[in-house]
Amino acid sequence: AVRVEVLEGTPREMGLQHGRALAAEIHREITGLVDATDARISRNGELWQAATLEELHGLADGAGINGEAVESWNFVLEPFSAWRTSFGISGNVDPRALSSDSTTVVQVRRPVGGLPYLLVAKAGQLLPRAGVNAAGVAVSWEPLESDPPPSDIVVLTEAIHNTLNTSRAHREAHARLQNIAVRGRWCVGVGRSGETAETYFRLDEHG
């Protein structure tokens, strides 16, 4: 299933809107995670920046679910699907990537003090599969290993949101994302609507 949601305001306000609109889908996605991952979350929850935590906690409150379970769900990545990096550059999505038992959400985000941007993500998750902002800057990513470090998921979530929220040029977005520090291995794609320049690069612990 595919849902389109418009989220506006502060991080907490956007989280509340997301949680309330998709409460049933979020409950279904994270069933069984509450007890299984409390220890994992106690090690990783502190890694999120304040604004991201505000949105996650707003999402949990809006959906009426355990905040640790929502954080846990945000560390869960789906198996490799090569459509993500192609979407970030060309805008072409393989329909097969959207046909699953879970809910794919197209988030139209209008944050306070930043550029509007669009993301494709799972219900209850903040790490997008791909996104594009009002300036036409598009970003996508793909893990190059089956079990990437949770700290990388935190770093990428915040880097992609910050990039789409502020970047008006391909070069600016590329520079922001190429310089983030990760421990695992990732492929990142950056492009801009109307430009022929597009970049794919690999992120790993060696830079």
Side-chain angles (χ1 to χ4, degrees), residues 95-164:
R96 292 172 298 178
L98 304 177
S99 58
S100 68
D101 294 333
S102 57
T103 300
T104 295
V105 182
V106 178
Q107 298 180 20
V108 180
R109 299 173 65 91
R110 296 172 181 157
V112 172
L115 289 170
Y117 56 102
L118 179 150
L119 301 178
V120 179
K122 289 293 187 184
Q125 289 194 334
L126 301 188
L127 177 60
R129 301 168 178 184
V132 60
N133 69 14
V137 173
V139 176
S140 63
W141 59 273
E142 196 73 61
L144 298 178
E145 53 195 0
S146 59
D147 189 22
S151 59
D152 281 7
I153 297 173
V154 172
V155 168
L156 277 167
T157 297
E158 294 174 343
I160 290 172
H161 279 269
N162 290 338
T163 297
L164 293 172

Side-chain angles (χ1 to χ4, degrees), residues 36-186:
T37 58
D38 283 354
R40 184 180 185 189
I41 290 308
S42 70
R43 294 197 302 271
N44 293 299
E46 64 187 23
L47 299 174
W48 300 103
Q49 292 179 3
T52 308
L53 271 178
E54 285 180 19
E55 184 165 354
L56 286 169
H57 292 166
L59 198 160
D61 290 344
I65 203 163
N66 184 297
E68 289 185 342
V70 170
E71 290 185 38
S72 178
W73 172 231
N74 275 269
F75 286 111
V76 175
L77 299 182
E78 63 183 330
F80 180 90
S81 58
W83 72 279
R84 274 195 291 250
T85 45
S86 65
F87 172 74
I89 300 301
S90 69
N92 296 320
V93 179
D94 184 344
R96 292 172 298 178
L98 304 177
S99 58
S100 68
D101 294 333
S102 57
T103 300
T104 295
V105 182
V106 178
Q107 298 180 20
V108 180
R109 299 173 65 91
R110 296 172 181 157
V112 172
L115 289 170
Y117 56 102
L118 179 150
L119 301 178
V120 179
K122 289 293 187 184
Q125 289 194 334
L126 301 188
L127 177 60
R129 301 168 178 184
V132 60
N133 69 14
V137 173
V139 176
S140 63
W141 59 273
E142 196 73 61
L144 298 178
E145 53 195 0
S146 59
D147 189 22
S151 59
D152 281 7
I153 297 173
V154 172
V155 168
L156 277 167
T157 297
E158 294 174 343
I160 290 172
H161 279 269
N162 290 338
T163 297
L164 293 172
N165 193 24
T166 59
S167 297
R168 296 181 177 275
H170 168 253
R171 183 175 297 179
E172 180 184 0
H174 184 185
R176 280 177 176 273
L177 292 169
Q178 192 173 37
N179 290 325
I180 64 176
V182 296
R183 294 168 53 204
R185 296 181 299 119
W186 303 80

